Amino acid sequence: MPGKLQAIPLGGLGEFGMNCMAFRFGDDIIVIDAGLMFPEAELLGVDIVVPDISYLIENRQKVRGIILTHGHEDHIGGLPWILSELKVPVWGTEFTLAYVEDKLDEHGLLDDADLREIRAGESFRVGSFSIHPIRVTHSLVDCVALAIHTPLGIVIHTGDFKVDPTPTDNHLFDLHSFAEYGKQNVLALFQDSTNVERKGYTPSERAVRRKFDEVFAHTRRRLFISCFSSSVHRIKLAVELAQEHERKVTFVGRSMNNSAEIAEDLGYLEIPDGLIINPGEMKNFPPEKVCVMISGTQGEPMSALSRAAVDNHKHAKIEKGDTVVLSSRIIPGNEKTIYRMIDHLFRREAYVIYEDGSSPPVHVSGHASQEELKLVINLVKPRYFIPIHGEYRQLKLHADMAAAMRGSVGKVMLIESGDVLEFDELGARKVARINVGRVCIDSGNRTDVVEDLIIKDRRHLSEDGIVLPIIAINKLTGNVETTPEIVTRGFNPGENGLLEGARRIVEDTLAFSSEEEKADYGVIKEKIRADLKRYISKQTQRRPLIMPVILEI
Amino acid sequence: MPGKLQAIPLGGLGEFGMNCMAFRFGDDIIVIDAGLMFPEAELLGVDIVVPDISYLIENRQKVRGIILTHGHEDHIGGLPWILSELKVPVWGTEFTLAYVEDKLDEHGLLDDADLREIRAGESFRVGSFSIHPIRVTHSLVDCVALAIHTPLGIVIHTGDFKVDPTPTDNHLFDLHSFAEYGKQNVLALFQDSTNVERKGYTPSERAVRRKFDEVFAHTRRRLFISCFSSSVHRIKLAVELAQEHERKVTFVGRSMNNSAEIAEDLGYLEIPDGLIINPGEMKNFPPEKVCVMISGTQGEPMSALSRAAVDNHKHAKIEKGDTVVLSSRIIPGNEKTIYRMIDHLFRREAYVIYEDGSSPPVHVSGHASQEELKLVINLVKPRYFIPIHGEYRQLKLHADMAAAMRGSVGKVMLIESGDVLEFDELGARKVARINVGRVCIDSGNRTDVVEDLIIKDRRHLSEDGIVLPIIAINKLTGNVETTPEIVTRGFNPGENGLLEGARRIVEDTLAFSSEEEKADYGVIKEKIRADLKRYISKQTQRRPLIMPVILEI
C-alpha cells in the first residue's frame, strides 16, 4: 500500500498541557485532542494558552475533524478557539461531550457545533482512517485510547491513562484490546509520559476510599471536601460515604455543580432522594450532618474554597473544628497560593487534610507510573514508540525507558511539538518542522489574542513601571507650547528632584533638536526616549518603560 | 525577681523567611537573627523583602545588639538594611561572621560594623542577658542555638537545626547541654517549625554520600554538581570524592567561589594542592577528569548553571553524556524555572540527577522532622513552648504536637510576628501587638524601599495595562484646547473603534462638566477616570489602569 502517514504534534510534546496531535494521510487530516495550557505567571494578564493551529488553517480543506480522548481541560480546553477558526466535527464519548457542550455553550458556539458521540469498542470512520476507541482508566470517567487504522498500519494513541485495576465505576481498562493489537503488528504507539518519573504503579482510585472513610469517621463537625471538579470518582466516593455517615451533601461552586449534574445525568453518580441540599440550607442542619463538596483545590482567588477560607462566602462558612479535605495534587506553580489558603483555614481553626505523603493517600494520580507504562508497551509491542504528553525531560526519560525494552519495541522516535514524523513503507523519520507555538488568550473576550508585544509591555511595566514625558506641540507653528509634563506609574521617582531633572532633559532634547526633527514626531519621540532612558537609568539604576506622548494642539 | 520579659517576633512567625526575634527585659533589647525573605512573584520588581523594624527604631536607645544563629540568608540577609538604620554590635560564630563580612562589604557597610565572634559553649553578656551558644547541626556549619539567661529564667531559641548523628565535620549536636538545661527548669523553648509536617527523622548529611559515590563511580564524562553555595557539607563531600575518583575540581559562579573560599580559610574544607583548577583550564583536561561545582540550583536566570544549560557560559560547557547533579531541594515557587532548566540540560543530552524521591537521596533537608523536634522538647522540658520559623499552619501543627507532650511541656503559646508575648512571675500571655510587616527592597539601590502603592500599581499594570486619556487645558481661558488623546500600553484596544469611542467619552465628560469642575483638575480627572473605566470595562471586560493627564498650556 503506497502513501505516507504523518504524525504532527501541534502541542503538548515538550511542554505541559495544550495537547493536540494531527495525523495526516494524503488529503485527510484528523486531530486528536485540542487542549489548553494554564499560563505561567510571567504571561501577565493572559488567562489561557492554546496551540497555534496555523498548520490546520492552512490545510483547512483537509481537516476531517477532531477526536477527543477525554474531558480534561488540557485535552478539550482549546476547542472554542479551534472551532471558531475551523468548522469541523468533533468526536468524543458521552461524558466528554457533556463537558464540551458546556464549554461551547458558554462561548456561544454550541449551536454551530457538530458533535458526534463515540463509544469504547465501537469503531468509526473519519476520512481514510478507521478509529477504534479503547476504554482506559484515568482520574475522570469515560476515557478512551484510540487505535487508528491507517492505510499504512495501526497507530495507537493512549490519551491520558493509568491502569487502575479497581476503578470506582468498575469500567475496567481494556487490557484485552491492547493485547489483541499486540498480535497485529502495530505500527506505532504514542504514549502518555506525564508520570514517567514515578517508579512502580500508581495506586488505584479506590486507595482514596480508606482515607475518606477515616476522615468521615473522625469528623465531628462540618466536613468540606474539595477535589478537581472533573474527579467524578472522588465525588461519587464522597457522596456514598456521606450517605453512610448520615450527612447531607451540598455542592458549592459553579464547576462542582456542573460536574455533579453531568455525572448524575449520565448515570455515573447515583444520588438518593433527599441527600442533596442547597448551600443556603446548610445553616438549618447541625454541623455534623453536613458534607460540603466545594470547588477550588488550587487556591484560585475567586474559587468558593478560597473565599470561604477568608470568610467571604455567603454560604460556606468555615468554623472552629470543621474539617477541610483537599483531595488533589498541588499543581507546580500553585504552591504559594495553596499554602496561603491552607494557612487561612488553619487560622479559622479548621482541621486541614492535604497531600503530605502519608498513607492512605488523600489523593492519587490519574497517570500511569513506570510499571504501567511498561505493561502497555509489552501488550502492544509497537514497531515505533513515540512518547507524548510531557515536558522534554519526561519525553526523553520515556524514550530511554522504551528503548531499553528491546523485546517489545522496534524503534523509539523522540519528537516535539512542530516536528513532522513521517511513516512510509521504508520506516519513519522526522521530515520537516511546521510553525507551532502558544497563542495567549485573554478570556475577557472569547478569542482575544494577547500579542507578545502586549505581554512584553506588561512585563516591563510590572517590573519597573512607566514614565511618560508629555509635550504639547502647536501644529500650526511647530512650537512646544508648555513645559513638558512627566507622569509616572509603578515607578518611584523619589524625592531627589528626579522628575525636575527629567523635565530639564526633555527640554534640552527639544532645544537641541532641529525644526525638522520636531516636525517628525517619530524622530523627536525616539530622541526623548533615548535621552530620558539614559538619565533615569543613571540616576536610579532602573529601566522603566518610557513612552513619550506628543499632544498636537 | 521582679520585672517582665518580652518576646517580640518581628518576622518569620506566620511567614516563610525573614526570621527576626526581639527579647526585651526592662531597658535592654536583643535581637536574634535578621533575615530576609525572597519575594513572591506578585511583588513585582521587588528583589528582597526584610522585616519592618520600626519597633527597634522607636526603641533605638535600648537595642543592645543582634545575635545570629547561623549564616543562611533568611537569618542574616536583612542585616545591611537593619545596620544602616541601627548601629549596634553583631554577634555570630566565626563562619557566620565570614558570610556577614562578605555581605556588609558588598553594601559598603563593613568598615562601620561592630562584629563580635562567639563560640559554641562560651557564654557572653549583652545588657541584662547572659547568652550561651549551644552547638547544633544544620545544612551549613558552625550553627548555634542560644540559651538566653534572663532575670526571669532561661529561654532557649533553637535557631534552625536538625539532630544529625553523623555530621560530615564531626561537630556533633550538643545533646548534653540541652539535657543539662532540662534539669534547670527552663522558662521557654522557642523551636524551629520548618519540617514539622515531616514524620520521623531527617536523614543525616552523610546519607548523600552514598548517592554521590554512585554518581562518581558511574560518570564517564564531565560531572557538574550544583548545591546551595552555603552547603559546606555538600561541597566538602564533592571535593573528597573528586580526589578519590581522580577528578580535578573547579568552582564556577560567584557564590560558589566565595563559599568555598570561606570554608577553606576557616578549615572546614581541606583542599589538597593541585586539586583545584580555574574554570578556564577545564578545556585542558579530558572530560572524565573534571568535576565542576556550579551555582544555580534554583534555576535563577543569571546563575552559572542556568547559563550553562542554554550554552551561554564561557567556561561551563555542557555536552552530550555529561552528568549534572542538582543536590538541593526545589524551593516552592521555583518549580517551573527549575524544570525549565532541567529540560534544557536534557536537550543537551546530559544525564540529570535531581531529587525524585529515590534512595539514596541526592539531597537531605537541614531541618528537624517530628521525632527530632520531640527529642529536643523532651530534653529541655520547658515551662512554655513557642513554635517559631514557619507559616501559620506549621506553627499550629507544631503547637498541637507540643501540647500533646504533657510530660515535658507546660504550656504552649502560639504567637505570630508582631505579637508581644510577656513573661512575669505569674506566667505568660500575649499583651500587645506592635507594627510589623514586610519592607520591599529594590536592590538597584541598597535601601530603596518599594512602596505598597507602587507594587499595587505594577500589579495592575501587569494584568491589564494602562490607558491614559490626555487633555490640554488652557490655563488662562480654562478651555480644552484639543481633541483628547488616548494612549495605551500593555492593553490592546483592538480594531473596533474602542479608542475613538473612548475619545468621545472623554469629550462628553468634558462637555457635561461645569467650568468649576473643569477648573478643579482633581475633580475633572476623577470624572474622566470613572466614565472611561465604565466604558472600557463594558466594551472589553478588562480593567486597565486609567490615568487621566491634564496638560496645562
Side-chain angles (χ1 to χ4, degrees):
Chain A
M1 169 65 70
K4 293 171 193 302
L5 172 72
Q6 293 183 332
I8 309 164
L10 301 176
L13 273 70
E15 62 211 344
F16 174 70
M18 60 176 212
N19 299 300
C20 187
M21 164 87 75
F23 286 98
R24 175 175 181 165
F25 188 86
D27 278 348
D28 291 326
I29 295 174
I30 54 171
V31 180
I32 313 298
D33 291 334
L36 60 71
M37 171 192 274
F38 292 102
E40 300 168 34
E42 59 242 54
L43 290 177
L44 299 159
V46 168
D47 295 298
I48 66 167
V49 176
V50 296
D52 180 342
I53 52 161
S54 21
Y55 173 79
L56 299 179
I57 292 171
E58 283 158 24
N59 294 284
R60 61 166 71 241
Q61 299 311 327
K62 305 192 177 71
V63 181
R64 305 288 163 243
I66 301 170
I67 301 118
L68 305 172
T69 59
H70 65 287
H72 275 150
E73 288 289 350
D74 53 339
H75 293 257
I76 67 166
L79 269 183
W81 160 252
I82 296 184
L83 289 184
S84 66
E85 299 283 329
L86 283 179
K87 300 265 168 278
V88 296
V90 175
W91 285 264
T93 61
E94 184 185 35
F95 188 83
T96 304
L97 288 188
Y99 272 39
V100 167
E101 278 168 21
D102 224 46
K103 179 172 288 293
L104 294 180
D105 195 22
E106 206 178 290
H107 290 86
L109 292 166
L110 184 55
D111 291 343
D112 289 338
D114 175 3
L115 305 182
R116 304 183 186 187
E117 193 178 318
I118 60 176
R119 281 164 204 270
E122 297 182 7
S123 294
F124 58 101
R125 270 205 93 76
V126 185
S128 42
F129 303 97
S130 164
I131 302 173
H132 171 211
I134 309 170
R135 164 94 51 217
V136 296
T137 43
H138 187 38
S139 46
L140 86 178
V141 297
D142 214 6
C143 305
V144 290
L146 301 170
I148 306 167
H149 296 245
T150 82
L152 262 175
I154 299 163
V155 164
I156 296 183
H157 183 295
T158 63
D160 283 354
F161 75 99
K162 68 200 261 186
V163 185
D164 190 337
T166 54
T168 67
D169 59 0
N170 296 318
H171 291 312
L172 296 180
F173 184 99
D174 184 358
L175 293 165
H176 302 87
S177 285
F178 282 94
E180 213 36 67
Y181 279 112
K183 301 179 201 156
Q184 294 175 41
N185 192 16
V186 165
L187 175 62
L189 172 63
F190 292 76
Q191 182 166 268
D192 176 24
S193 310
T194 310
N195 268 359
V196 68
E197 288 161 295
R198 297 208 194 168
K199 291 185 171 50
Y201 270 86
T202 303
S204 165
E205 260 298 317
R206 233 170 258 248
V208 177
R209 188 182 181 99
R210 284 188 294 150
K211 183 69 177 189
F212 272 39
D213 241 343
E214 203 178 86
V215 172
F216 269 93
H218 287 89
T219 298
R220 293 280 155 265
R221 287 186 44 93
R222 260 184 206 158
L223 176 56
F224 293 81
I225 298 179
S226 191
C227 62
F228 293 117
S229 60
S230 59
S231 301
V232 176
H233 297 295
R234 229 51 75 75
I235 297 175
K236 181 178 152 81
L237 177 59
V239 166
E240 285 172 11
L241 286 170
Q243 198 190 359
E244 279 178 31
H245 291 267
E246 295 176 356
R247 284 178 183 261
K248 297 290 181 188
V249 174
T250 181
F251 294 100
V252 173
R254 199 182 63 89
S255 63
M256 192 59 89
N257 267 297
N258 272 359
S259 227
E261 206 174 295
I262 291 173
E264 198 185 0
D265 281 353
L266 303 184
Y268 288 96
L269 200 56
E270 277 178 50
I271 301 184
D273 284 346
L275 184 70
I276 303 293
I277 58 172
N278 287 325
E281 296 176 81
M282 245 190 282
K283 58 181 185 304
N284 308 332
F285 290 85
E288 70 275 16
K289 291 295 175 200
V290 176
C291 170
V292 186
M293 298 298 298
I294 186 164
S295 331
T297 59
Q298 300 300 303
E300 305 91 330
M302 293 310 294
S303 69
L305 186 55
S306 277
R307 286 188 288 136
V310 293
D311 201 14
N312 186 22
H313 194 284
K314 198 174 164 198
H315 302 301
K317 303 276 175 209
I318 292 172
E319 289 165 5
K320 182 171 173 171
D322 287 350
T323 297
V324 182
V325 177
L326 297 178
S327 177
S328 60
R329 79 177 184 120
I330 294 178
I331 295 178
N334 296 350
E335 291 80 0
K336 291 220 168 191
T337 325
I338 296 174
Y339 280 122
R340 201 177 305 143
M341 178 175 75
I342 293 177
D343 273 2
H344 285 301
L345 295 170
F346 267 89
R347 279 176 212 276
R348 314 218 82 77
E349 300 192 57
Y351 301 108
V352 189
I353 294 163
Y354 48 100
E355 206 182 9
D356 61 353
S358 68
S359 185
V362 71
H363 172 70
V364 294
S365 170
H367 296 272
S369 300
Q370 288 171 8
E371 296 310 314
E372 291 153 275
L373 296 171
K374 291 182 202 162
L375 171 65
V376 172
I377 292 173
N378 280 338
L379 284 171
V380 174
K381 301 207 278 177
R383 275 185 280 154
Y384 289 92
F385 177 83
I386 301 97
I388 57 172
H389 305 167
E391 299 187 356
Y392 187 83
R393 74 178 186 291
Q394 295 164 324
L395 300 181
K396 180 70 164 64
L397 291 169
H398 203 180
D400 291 349
M401 186 185 95
M405 298 174 67
R406 302 228 173 80
S408 51
V409 173
K411 198 166 170 197
V412 174
M413 306 296 292
L414 181 54
I415 58 171
E416 288 187 81
S417 299
D419 287 333
V420 177
L421 178 64
E422 189 168 276
F423 299 88
D424 61 17
E425 289 160 305
L426 301 172
R429 70 210 68 85
K430 277 188 236 184
V431 292
R433 269 195 69 81
I434 59 155
N435 275 331
V436 289
R438 305 185 298 185
V439 176
C440 298
I441 295 189
D442 182 327
S443 69
N445 236 308
R446 166 156 57 96
T447 53
D448 185 4
V449 175
V450 185
E451 289 149 35
D452 279 354
L453 189 67
I454 298 271
I455 294 169
K456 210 175 137 199
D457 275 354
R458 286 181 187 167
R459 192 171 310 148
H460 195 156
L461 288 168
S462 76
E463 279 164 12
D464 291 309
I466 186 168
V467 173
L468 298 105
I470 302 172
I471 55 174
I473 291 186
N474 186 315
K475 68 181 150 189
L476 297 177
T477 63
N479 287 340
V480 177
E481 289 285 316
T482 177
T483 337
E485 188 72 43
I486 310 283
V487 172
T488 71
R489 207 74 198 236
F491 168 80
N492 188 351
E495 283 153 16
N496 303 318
L498 183 80
L499 287 187
E500 195 38 54
R503 206 171 284 132
R504 274 197 308 274
I505 295 288
V506 177
E507 282 176 330
D508 287 354
T509 308
L510 291 167
F512 293 106
S513 299
S514 67
E515 291 310 309
E516 225 173 9
E517 286 176 315
K518 273 188 277 190
D520 186 334
Y521 295 163
V523 171
I524 191 69
K525 277 187 191 174
E526 185 48 35
K527 283 188 74 174
I528 292 174
R529 210 187 55 74
D531 291 348
L532 209 49
K533 182 176 161 191
R534 197 174 316 117
Y535 172 75
I536 291 177
S537 147
K538 196 166 164 208
Q539 298 291 317
T540 67
Q541 284 87 52
R542 306 303 305 181
R543 302 164 71 85
L545 200 147
I546 296 174
M547 184 183 179
V549 176
I550 292 176
L551 206 58
E552 211 175 39
I553 57 173
Chain B
M1 168 64 70
K4 291 171 193 305
L5 172 71
Q6 292 182 333
I8 310 164
L10 302 177
L13 274 71
E15 60 212 346
F16 175 69
M18 63 174 209
N19 298 300
C20 187
M21 164 88 73
F23 286 100
R24 175 174 182 167
F25 188 87
D27 277 348
D28 292 326
I29 295 174
I30 55 171
V31 181
I32 313 297
D33 291 334
L36 62 69
M37 169 192 277
F38 291 102
E40 300 166 35
E42 60 243 57
L43 290 176
L44 299 158
V46 167
D47 296 299
I48 65 166
V49 177
V50 296
D52 179 343
I53 54 161
S54 22
Y55 173 80
L56 299 179
I57 292 170
E58 281 157 25
N59 294 283
R60 61 164 71 240
Q61 298 312 324
K62 303 190 178 73
V63 181
R64 305 289 162 241
I66 301 169
I67 302 117
L68 305 173
T69 59
H70 66 287
H72 274 150
E73 288 290 349
D74 54 338
H75 292 258
I76 68 167
L79 269 182
W81 159 252
I82 296 185
L83 289 184
S84 67
E85 299 281 329
L86 282 178
K87 300 265 167 277
V88 295
V90 176
W91 284 265
T93 61
E94 185 186 33
F95 187 86
T96 303
L97 288 188
Y99 272 38
V100 168
E101 278 168 21
D102 226 44
K103 179 172 288 293
L104 294 181
D105 196 20
E106 206 178 289
H107 289 86
L109 291 166
L110 184 56
D111 291 345
D112 288 338
D114 175 2
L115 305 182
R116 305 183 184 187
E117 194 180 317
I118 61 176
R119 281 164 203 270
E122 297 182 8
S123 294
F124 57 102
R125 271 206 92 77
V126 184
S128 43
F129 301 98
S130 166
I131 301 173
H132 172 211
I134 309 171
R135 164 92 53 216
V136 296
T137 42
H138 187 37
S139 47
L140 85 178
V141 297
D142 215 6
C143 305
V144 290
L146 301 169
I148 306 167
H149 295 245
T150 80
L152 261 177
I154 300 162
V155 165
I156 295 183
H157 183 295
T158 63
D160 281 354
F161 75 98
K162 69 200 260 189
V163 184
D164 190 336
T166 54
T168 67
D169 60 359
N170 296 318
H171 291 314
L172 297 179
F173 184 100
D174 185 357
L175 293 166
H176 303 87
S177 285
F178 282 94
E180 213 36 66
Y181 280 112
K183 301 178 200 156
Q184 293 175 43
N185 192 15
V186 165
L187 175 62
L189 173 63
F190 293 75
Q191 182 164 269
D192 177 22
S193 312
T194 310
N195 269 0
V196 69
E197 288 160 293
R198 297 208 196 170
K199 292 186 170 48
Y201 270 86
T202 302
S204 166
E205 259 299 317
R206 232 169 257 248
V208 177
R209 188 184 182 97
R210 284 188 293 149
K211 183 70 178 188
F212 272 38
D213 240 343
E214 202 178 88
V215 172
F216 269 93
H218 287 89
T219 298
R220 294 279 156 267
R221 285 186 45 91
R222 263 184 205 158
L223 175 57
F224 293 81
I225 299 179
S226 191
C227 62
F228 293 117
S229 61
S230 60
S231 300
V232 176
H233 298 293
R234 229 50 75 75
I235 298 176
K236 182 178 154 81
L237 177 59
V239 165
E240 285 172 11
L241 286 171
Q243 199 190 357
E244 279 178 31
H245 291 267
E246 296 177 355
R247 284 177 184 260
K248 298 288 182 190
V249 174
T250 183
F251 294 100
V252 173
R254 202 182 63 89
S255 64
M256 191 60 89
N257 267 295
N258 270 359
S259 226
E261 206 175 295
I262 290 172
E264 197 184 3
D265 282 353
L266 302 184
Y268 287 96
L269 199 56
E270 276 178 51
I271 301 184
D273 286 346
L275 184 71
I276 302 294
I277 59 172
N278 286 325
E281 294 176 82
M282 244 190 282
K283 57 182 184 306
N284 307 331
F285 291 85
E288 69 276 17
K289 291 295 176 201
V290 177
C291 170
V292 186
M293 299 296 299
I294 187 165
S295 334
T297 59
Q298 299 301 304
E300 306 89 332
M302 293 309 294
S303 70
L305 185 55
S306 276
R307 284 187 289 136
V310 293
D311 202 14
N312 186 21
H313 194 282
K314 198 175 164 195
H315 302 299
K317 302 276 175 210
I318 293 172
E319 288 163 6
K320 183 174 174 169
D322 288 350
T323 297
V324 182
V325 177
L326 298 178
S327 177
S328 61
R329 77 176 184 122
I330 293 177
I331 295 179
N334 296 349
E335 291 80 2
K336 291 219 166 190
T337 327
I338 294 174
Y339 280 120
R340 201 177 305 145
M341 178 175 74
I342 293 177
D343 273 2
H344 286 301
L345 295 169
F346 267 89
R347 279 176 211 275
R348 314 217 84 76
E349 299 193 58
Y351 300 108
V352 189
I353 294 162
Y354 48 100
E355 207 182 8
D356 62 353
S358 68
S359 186
V362 71
H363 172 70
V364 294
S365 170
H367 296 272
S369 300
Q370 287 172 7
E371 296 311 313
E372 293 154 274
L373 296 171
K374 290 182 200 161
L375 172 65
V376 171
I377 292 173
N378 280 339
L379 284 171
V380 174
K381 301 207 279 179
R383 273 185 280 155
Y384 289 91
F385 177 83
I386 302 98
I388 58 172
H389 305 168
E391 298 187 357
Y392 187 84
R393 76 180 184 287
Q394 296 164 322
L395 302 181
K396 180 68 163 64
L397 291 169
H398 203 180
D400 290 349
M401 185 185 97
M405 299 175 68
R406 303 231 171 78
S408 51
V409 174
K411 198 167 171 196
V412 174
M413 307 295 293
L414 180 56
I415 59 172
E416 287 188 82
S417 300
D419 286 333
V420 177
L421 177 64
E422 189 168 276
F423 299 89
D424 61 17
E425 289 160 304
L426 302 173
R429 70 212 68 85
K430 278 188 234 181
V431 293
R433 270 196 70 82
I434 58 156
N435 275 331
V436 289
R438 305 185 297 186
V439 176
C440 298
I441 295 188
D442 181 329
S443 68
N445 235 308
R446 167 156 58 95
T447 53
D448 186 3
V449 175
V450 185
E451 289 150 35
D452 278 353
L453 189 65
I454 298 273
I455 295 170
K456 209 174 138 199
D457 275 354
R458 287 181 186 167
R459 191 169 315 149
H460 195 156
L461 288 167
S462 76
E463 281 165 10
D464 290 308
I466 186 168
V467 173
L468 298 103
I470 303 172
I471 55 174
I473 291 187
N474 185 315
K475 68 181 150 190
L476 297 177
T477 63
N479 288 340
V480 177
E481 289 286 317
T482 178
T483 336
E485 188 71 43
I486 310 282
V487 171
T488 70
R489 206 75 198 234
F491 169 79
N492 189 351
E495 285 153 15
N496 303 319
L498 184 78
L499 288 186
E500 196 37 57
R503 205 170 286 132
R504 273 197 307 274
I505 295 288
V506 178
E507 283 176 332
D508 287 353
T509 309
L510 290 166
F512 292 106
S513 299
S514 66
E515 292 310 309
E516 224 173 8
E517 286 174 318
K518 274 188 273 189
D520 185 336
Y521 294 163
V523 170
I524 192 69
K525 277 187 189 173
E526 186 47 35
K527 282 187 76 174
I528 292 174
R529 210 188 55 74
D531 290 348
L532 210 48
K533 182 175 159 191
R534 198 173 315 118
Y535 173 73
I536 291 178
S537 146
K538 195 166 165 208
Q539 298 292 317
T540 68
Q541 284 86 51
R542 307 304 304 180
R543 302 162 72 86
L545 202 146
I546 295 174
M547 184 181 177
V549 176
I550 291 176
L551 206 59
E552 211 176 39
I553 55 172

